[in-house]
Amino acid sequence: SLFGAQLAAALGLPYAFASHFAPAQLEEAIALYRQRFRPSEYLEKPYVMAGVSVFAADSDSQAEYIASSMQQAFVALRRGEPGPLRPPVDNYVQSLPVSDRVLLEGIMSCSAIGGAETVETTLSRFIARIQVDEVIVTSQIFDPAARQKSYEILADVMGRL
């Protein structure tokens, strides 16, 4: 939140932003934190962390498929129907009304979804644009094997960034 950014800046603490589920104020909050940062016994300069959802797979289409579990969760939550993480669904986004697609477009704007090359490009651009010191990765992936594969691809990608 903007308050969290101001508080962390005033106390000279690191700042983490949950851009993986609330991206709308990401840039404003980080700019505010950096502008108002006061050095402290803990930090001499600002230190920014930002959450990014990562769904990596062997192909972009497979990654889109596994990302549909999180997408279903967000749509259900916004409709007042929260519940356990659901299995992935083929072509989930395309099956939604325009209003839900717009919702997901905003929510997923800080996500890297794709094969290794796509994830690397997306994360590289995010890191460069926001100038984060650290990325906090989340992955709401239904299948444990797909989740492990996603993290393996991500680890390889991060080794190159």
Side-chain angles (χ1 to χ4, degrees), residues 21-143:
F21 68 84
Q25 292 182 318
L26 169 66
E27 292 182 48
E28 181 182 5
I30 290 175
L32 182 64
Y33 168 73
R34 288 182 173 138
Q35 290 166 359
R36 296 190 179 179
F37 183 83
R38 293 186 205 152
S40 70
E41 64 181 282
Y42 307 107
L43 285 177
E44 293 180 18
K45 62 182 184 169
Y47 187 90
V48 175
M49 299 162 275
V52 178
S53 292
V54 176
F55 301 89
D58 290 328
S59 68
D60 288 358
S61 61
Q62 181 64 24
E64 288 288 341
Y65 174 74
I66 64 173
S68 70
S69 292
M70 183 177 119
Q71 293 164 339
Q72 291 176 74
F74 271 109
V75 169
L77 187 62
R78 294 292 195 244
R79 291 179 178 165
E81 303 165 356
L85 193 62
R86 297 172 179 150
V89 174
D90 280 320
N91 302 312
Y92 177 68
V93 174
Q94 293 80 0
S95 73
L96 295 172
V98 173
S99 59
D100 288 338
R101 288 185 200 182
V102 170
L103 165 76
L104 286 178
E105 186 177 306
I107 293 294
M108 303 300 288
S109 66
C110 291
S111 298
I113 303 171
E117 186 177 310
T118 301
V119 168
E120 183 173 353
T121 299
T122 303
L123 288 176
S124 177
R125 288 179 181 160
F126 177 82
I127 292 166
R129 180 173 59 96
I130 306 301
Q131 293 294 302
V132 294
D133 298 293
E134 189 173 327
V135 174
I136 302 167
V137 174
T138 68
S139 298
Q140 289 180 293
I141 299 173
F142 184 80
D143 177 54

